[in-house]
Amino acid sequence: MKNCKIGLKALALTGALFALSGCSQKFQDVQDTMSLALFGIDDVVVSADTVNDLPYASLYAKTDNGGQAFMVLGYANPSMSNLADPTNHFQLKWLSATGEMLVTEHGRIVKTINLLGGNLSASYSHQADPLALGLLKGATPHVWTRKVDWQPGYHAGYTLESRFQLQGENTLMVNEKPVSTVHVIEYVHAPQLDVAFENEFWLHPKTGHVIASIQTPAPGMPRIELTVLKPFSGVSQ
C-alpha cells in the first residue's frame, strides 16, 4: 500500500475486489464478510490465505458485547500532530461495510465514528504517546498524560493519566501463526471522574509495533479488542 491517502468507498457494494481477484470464491467470501455490520452477534473468522491475498491492511475488532468483525484499512493520512515524525506517523482509518470507523495512531484508538454506545471524538496531548516513541526503548517514559472528548453527552477535555508496566513475553496466534509479543498494561486514571481502567497492548519484541490490544477509548465506553492481521506496510501501526 502506498504511503498516501487511500480510499475505499462502500466496501461491501463495490466490485473492486472482484476486479483484483478474477471473481474467485475466496474474494466472494471476503465481500460477504465485509457486508456484515461491525460488531455483530457472531464472530467473523477470515482465513490466512484470504487475508494475505487482499491488497489491503486488515484487522479484527471486537467489543465487550459484540462479535468479532473484520475491518479493512480505508485511509492512511499523515498525522497533523507537531509531535509526530512526518515521515513515519500516520492516522490509519479502519472501515466497516456499514459506515463504522476506527482511527488508530501507532496502535492506539484515537477516534471512533458511528459505533453503538458512544464514540471517542478526539484524543490529544502535548506529550508524545510512549507507543509512538517506542515503549520498549530504554529512554521512553512510562508515564503519559492526555485529554479526551467523547459522546454521548458533552464530555470534553477530560484528563487521562497513564502509567505503563511491562508484563513479560507472550505468544499469540495471529493470522493462524504463533507470534512472539511483549505484553504491556497501561494503567489509566481519570482524576476528574475518579475512574480507573486498564488498557493492554501486545508489542512486537523488536519493533515495538502494536500487534494486538484491548482498549477503553474513553471512560464508560465499551472495551475494543484489536488484532492486526496484515499491517500497513512501511510505517508504524
Side-chain angles (χ1 to χ4, degrees):
M1 184 174 290
K2 297 179 181 179
N3 293 350
C4 60
K5 184 174 181 180
I6 302 168
L8 303 177
K9 297 182 179 179
L11 289 173
L13 303 176
T14 67
L17 293 180
F18 292 107
L20 292 168
S21 68
C23 300
S24 70
Q25 181 62 45
K26 188 177 295 183
F27 278 77
Q28 175 66 61
D29 294 341
V30 173
Q31 189 191 46
D32 291 343
T33 297
M34 290 192 296
S35 70
L36 299 174
L38 177 64
F39 307 143
I41 296 174
D42 298 325
D43 283 350
V44 173
V45 178
V46 180
S47 72
D49 286 344
T50 298
V51 169
N52 295 333
D53 285 349
L54 274 173
Y56 312 114
S58 59
L59 54 73
Y60 284 139
K62 184 175 183 177
T63 60
D64 283 334
N65 53 4
Q68 177 174 273
F70 178 71
M71 302 186 76
V72 172
L73 180 64
Y75 301 89
N77 296 341
S79 173
M80 301 304 293
S81 170
N82 59 6
L83 298 174
D85 175 356
T87 65
N88 196 34
H89 192 111
F90 283 72
Q91 278 198 348
L92 304 183
K93 299 182 179 181
W94 307 89
L95 303 176
S96 77
T98 52
E100 296 90 350
M101 180 186 291
L102 301 177
V103 183
T104 64
E105 292 188 17
H106 294 278
R108 182 181 298 281
I109 298 170
V110 296
K111 188 174 184 179
T112 69
I113 297 173
N114 293 336
L115 301 191
L116 294 176
N119 282 282
L120 176 64
S121 305
S123 176
Y124 45 98
S125 177
H126 294 298
Q127 306 167 352
D129 188 338
L131 290 173
L133 295 175
L135 195 55
L136 301 182
K137 297 178 180 178
T140 299
H142 282 203
V143 293
W144 183 47
T145 300
R146 66 192 186 279
K147 293 182 182 294
V148 292
D149 307 339
W150 76 95
Q151 299 172 340
Y154 183 72
H155 303 289
Y158 281 78
T159 298
L160 299 183
E161 301 170 342
S162 294
R163 177 174 58 86
F164 298 84
Q165 187 174 89
L166 274 62
Q167 302 296 306
E169 296 184 1
N170 284 151
T171 298
L172 304 181
M173 290 299 296
V174 179
N175 204 24
E176 302 177 12
K177 293 182 179 180
V179 177
S180 297
T181 69
V182 176
H183 181 206
V184 176
I185 295 180
E186 178 188 12
Y187 297 93
V188 185
H189 180 230
Q192 293 137 298
L193 301 173
D194 195 23
V195 170
F197 55 90
E198 297 176 5
N199 293 327
E200 297 184 72
F201 299 92
W202 286 265
L203 311 180
H204 189 286
K206 292 183 179 179
T207 66
H209 294 174
V210 176
I211 295 171
S213 62
I214 303 174
Q215 303 181 49
T216 300
M221 285 187 62
R223 297 187 307 171
I224 301 176
E225 299 182 26
L226 301 181
T227 302
V228 177
L229 301 173
K230 185 175 184 179
F232 177 44
S233 60
V235 301
S236 300
Q237 298 300 303

